[in-house]
């Protein structure tokens, strides 16, 4: 059972990674683009803020929830590794971002937003936040395992 729990955590971690990189990047690009527009598009700003809130909600639920720590370990390692690559070789880290005209516009927008998040250090911040639950030993054991150790059986014929 523990293996299935961690396999589920790995799959959730991949989804959280996609949400942070894709959804967060797209939302930041939309917010920056709408803020620079004259006059700003109020509907576009609200959509971008809603997308940011949704990504924050997903990351917060995974961080605070009783799910396998792999659900936070996977996105934290992706974000921290990309930040380290950026610190060591800026051009190589930025080359991972899709910017070719043949790529769909939504993917390019997400890439431009991811570039903003990477170069401003937000991915490093999120990576550290998502790594903290991995360090907590209680996250690696199931709640049932903890309850089974404290449970005392009573004899069949006893009153209490």
């Amino acid at each position: 059972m523990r293996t299935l729990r961690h396999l589920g955590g790995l799959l959730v971690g991949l989804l959280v990674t996609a949400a942070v990189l894709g959804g967060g990047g797209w939302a930041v690009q939309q917010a920056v683009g709408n803020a620079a527009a004259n006059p700003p598009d109020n509907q576009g700003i609200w959509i971008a803020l809603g997308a940011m809130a949704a990504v924050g909600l997903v990351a917060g639920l995974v961080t605070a929830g009783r799910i396998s720590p792999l659900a936070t370990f996977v996105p934290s390692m992706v974000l921290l590794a990309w930040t380290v690559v950026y610190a060591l070789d800026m051009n190589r880290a930025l080359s991972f971002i899709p910017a070719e005209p043949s790529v769909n516009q939504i993917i390019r927008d997400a890439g431009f937003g991811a570039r903003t998040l990477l170069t401003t250090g937000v991915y490093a911040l999120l990576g550290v936040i998502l790594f903290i639950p991995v360090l907590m030993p209680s996250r690696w054991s199931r709640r049932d395992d903890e309850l089974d150790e404290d449970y005392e059986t009573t004899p069949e014929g006893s009153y209490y």
Side-chain angles (χ1 to χ4, degrees), residues 42-112:
N42 286 336
Q43 182 179 3
I45 291 287
W46 283 110
I47 291 171
L49 290 176
M52 282 185 220
V55 170
L57 178 67
V58 167
L61 287 174
V62 170
T63 302
R66 293 276 311 176
I67 192 167
S68 169
L70 288 176
T72 59
F73 182 71
V74 171
S76 71
M77 285 297 105
V78 169
L79 296 173
L80 291 173
W82 199 9
T83 303
V84 168
V85 171
Y86 178 74
L88 296 176
D89 188 357
M90 185 184 316
N91 293 328
R92 177 173 294 221
L94 296 177
S95 72
F96 296 143
I97 299 171
E100 295 83 26
S102 62
V103 177
N104 189 322
Q105 182 63 39
I106 295 173
I107 303 290
R108 278 187 289 164
D109 287 346
F112 292 137

Side-chain angles (χ1 to χ4, degrees), residues 2 9 19-21 24 30 33 36 54 57 68 94 98 104 108 122 124 126 128 139 142 149 152-153 158-159:
R2 182 168 291 163
V20 170
L21 293 176
Q30 294 300 311
L57 178 67
S68 169
L94 296 177
N104 189 322
R108 278 187 289 164
V122 174
L126 285 174
V128 171
R139 294 289 296 261
R142 289 189 331 214
E149 293 173 4
E152 294 181 18
T153 59
S158 71
Y159 182 70

